[in-house]
Amino acid sequence: MPTNSPKSQHVLVLNSGSSSLKFAIIDPNNGHEVISGLAERLGSEAPSIKYKYDGTKTAINLKANEAHAETINTLVALIKSHKLDEHLIAVGHRVVHGGEHFIQSILIDEDVISGITQAATLAPLHGHANLLGISSAKESFKGLPQVAVFDTAFHQTMDEVAYLYALPYKLYTDFGVRRYGFHGTSHCYVAGQAAQLLNQSLEESNFISAHLGNGCSVCAIKNGKSVDTSMGLTPLAGLIMGMRSGDIDPGLFNFLTTQLNYSAQQIDDLLNQESGLLGISGLSNDCRTIEEASLSGNQRATLAIDMFCYRLAKQIAAYMVPLQRLDAIIFTGGIGENSNLIRKKVISQLAFLNIDCDEEANLKARFGQQGIISTKKTKIKVIVIPTNEEWVIANDAASIVKEL
Ligand code: ADP
């Protein structure tokens, strides 16, 4: 049983998805995860929770149809049974969409809830789940401060030249239609870590960070601030992802509706759940499966990887325009942190930037190991940094609580 010093302070971090709930209790001072887990298939016939505590992994089946509120109750009972609630100072919520209103993490009160509700019209699926998580946690952890940490906040430094779409301006002024960008917590964290690794100040650093997980995005970071990013109004835009198409010709909508009788919902499903690596390979959205299939000669798997890398390299190259000078390219997220193959293919397409991959370092920087994977003579560095969004959320929540 891990021991807690009487002074240890922890934050419960909640990341509510539409049918899942990721949770962790974290020491904000060092990022140590006391307990972490994932509740999945919420609201279905067979929801379950898997968690890791004190080096042991446990799985529990939840009651059929159990959703966020009941799951948080189960979580409370679990936390209390290990006496982990005694050290909690706050609950930190990952909130996907903060619109233009939220430019930093904030203590949740009624005004903040109505701001999040308003922003949720731009991302209904995520927004609704986030609000459910907040209301359930407020009910179950009465008296504990709740803090919202937004995926969009880091990108609020973008200039209108970068964030506006070339649509009638009224759509922006009246309905907030613009590029917001996501994965901000991750891009911000890895940029800070990269500056430390290079021993330079973040405020003087220019980076391009590629967060490559199930969702993928690239961010251009100038003097430590986001100046452009590949996701847009929603997390569907930009790069090829596991199941998401990324950028497509918007004329496709007309073709699908008039020629193939698709409904709006069918188009949404097609672009969000049937496209990307899965759509091209016809095999899986999981990069590992596709890499294995490609190695065994599956041509569509190879095509999916090649398309993924080409689009990513093109997006990185495009961000030389806002940056002009680049200190490092950062890889993070499940693919960015682990796939030496994808990293090598992307780097080779950026050879005109005079960057080169150090094969040995590329193999070493995997499975949680950070490192510089470009060769010593390369001026622009290529760096792998494992992301830790949960720690950022815990840290932000703890800092806000300290100021109360
Ligand atoms: P999420 O966006 O859901 O947090 P992750 O950041 O965990 O997702 O990334 C999941 C992706 O990372 C999957 O496509 C998975 O195949 C990929 N991945 C994990 N480990 C490896 C690996 N060793 N090689 C290639 N891809 C990997």
Side-chain angles (χ1 to χ4, degrees):
M1 180 82 66
T3 51
N4 291 310
S5 83
K7 282 195 186 139
S8 55
Q9 296 190 321
H10 297 152
V11 174
L12 170 64
V13 174
L14 294 180
N15 180 355
S16 310
S18 52
S19 63
S20 69
L21 178 75
K22 265 192 199 166
F23 59 91
I25 291 184
I26 293 182
D27 182 337
N29 295 313
N30 53 24
H32 170 67
E33 284 189 357
V34 179
I35 185 171
S36 65
L38 171 69
E40 288 181 290
R41 296 184 297 278
L42 301 183
S44 80
E45 300 246 304
S48 65
I49 294 191
K50 290 187 193 118
Y51 67 93
K52 196 169 140 200
Y53 174 64
D54 196 17
T56 307
K57 289 183 181 168
T58 310
I60 309 175
N61 290 326
L62 299 171
K63 288 198 200 93
N65 304 319
E66 198 159 298
H68 291 75
E70 298 98 315
T71 305
I72 289 188
N73 281 337
T74 309
L75 187 58
V76 174
L78 176 68
I79 290 171
K80 287 194 170 156
S81 72
H82 292 298
K83 296 197 170 31
L84 301 177
D85 54 320
E86 292 169 8
H87 300 273
L88 287 182
I89 55 163
V91 182
H93 295 268
R94 176 193 179 208
V95 179
V96 171
H97 218 307
E100 283 188 324
H101 196 67
F102 298 110
I103 58 169
Q104 60 192 24
S105 304
I106 192 165
L107 185 73
I108 298 176
D109 60 16
E110 287 312 312
D111 282 349
V112 170
I113 288 182
S114 80
I116 296 173
T117 309
Q118 215 177 336
T121 56
L122 298 166
L125 215 64
H126 287 112
H128 183 63
N130 294 155
L131 284 163
L132 262 177
I134 292 170
S135 62
S136 308
K138 270 183 76 181
E139 193 54 39
S140 299
F141 296 96
K142 286 201 174 78
L144 261 193
Q146 314 266 328
V147 170
V149 179
F150 301 93
D151 262 27
T152 45
F154 181 60
H155 304 299
Q156 280 298 306
T157 45
M158 282 193 288
D159 187 79
E160 60 183 357
V161 169
Y163 71 66
L164 281 178
Y165 292 122
L167 291 168
Y169 196 66
K170 221 173 146 43
L171 275 175
Y172 167 59
T173 50
D174 293 8
F175 301 103
V177 174
R178 52 160 281 186
R179 180 188 299 284
Y180 288 94
F182 299 87
H183 291 145
T185 316
S186 177
H187 289 301
C188 175
Y189 174 77
V190 297
Q193 296 293 308
Q196 266 186 31
L197 187 69
L198 297 178
N199 205 13
Q200 61 188 53
S201 111
L202 178 61
E203 289 70 31
E204 287 167 11
S205 299
N206 285 6
F207 296 135
I208 296 173
S209 79
H211 178 108
L212 312 173
N214 280 312
C216 302
S217 71
V218 193
C219 180
I221 299 167
K222 190 172 192 170
N223 300 324
K225 296 199 164 81
S226 170
V227 290
D228 210 340
T229 190
S230 59
M231 283 179 167
L233 175 73
T234 73
L236 178 57
L239 302 177
I240 294 174
M241 312 183 208
M243 294 191 279
R244 287 174 241 168
S245 62
D247 287 348
I248 43 123
D249 178 352
L252 176 69
F253 287 79
N254 194 35
F255 173 79
L256 290 174
T257 47
T258 59
Q259 303 297 315
L260 303 182
N261 286 325
Y262 270 63
S263 66
Q265 186 58 51
Q266 282 173 317
I267 295 178
D268 201 57
D269 290 348
L270 176 90
L271 299 177
N272 275 297
Q273 286 163 32
E274 298 159 27
S275 298
L277 293 175
L278 170 67
I280 299 296
S281 69
L283 277 178
S284 169
N285 61 311
D286 192 290
C287 187
R288 276 166 297 200
T289 310
I290 294 180
E291 285 191 15
E292 279 161 25
S294 169
L295 275 175
S296 348
N298 184 312
Q299 289 187 356
R300 293 245 309 265
T302 306
L303 176 63
I305 291 172
D306 288 348
M307 285 173 65
F308 182 93
C309 294
Y310 173 64
R311 282 270 286 274
L312 174 55
K314 238 179 21 165
Q315 189 66 70
I316 290 173
Y319 284 158
M320 289 310 291
V321 174
L323 295 187
Q324 297 291 316
R325 175 188 66 78
L326 181 61
D327 295 310
I329 296 168
I330 309 166
F331 283 99
T332 193
I335 299 174
E337 290 167 27
N338 297 301
S339 175
N340 51 305
L341 175 80
I342 301 257
R343 294 187 309 224
K344 190 178 159 192
K345 275 180 176 282
V346 173
I347 293 170
S348 75
Q349 292 180 69
L350 295 169
F352 67 92
L353 291 173
N354 293 322
I355 58 172
D356 199 10
C357 181
D358 178 329
E359 301 269 350
E360 208 177 302
N362 190 26
L363 275 175
K364 220 167 129 199
R366 290 186 298 165
F367 316 126
Q369 185 68 44
Q370 71 169 30
I372 299 175
I373 61 168
S374 45
T375 51
K376 293 224 164 44
K377 65 178 168 54
T378 310
K379 198 161 163 267
I380 297 171
K381 305 291 177 213
V382 184
I383 308 177
V384 175
I385 306 272
T387 195
N388 197 337
E389 289 154 292
E390 287 75 18
W391 187 10
V392 178
I393 295 171
N395 217 351
D396 279 13
S399 309
I400 286 174
V401 165
K402 271 185 201 130
E403 282 168 17
L404 291 179

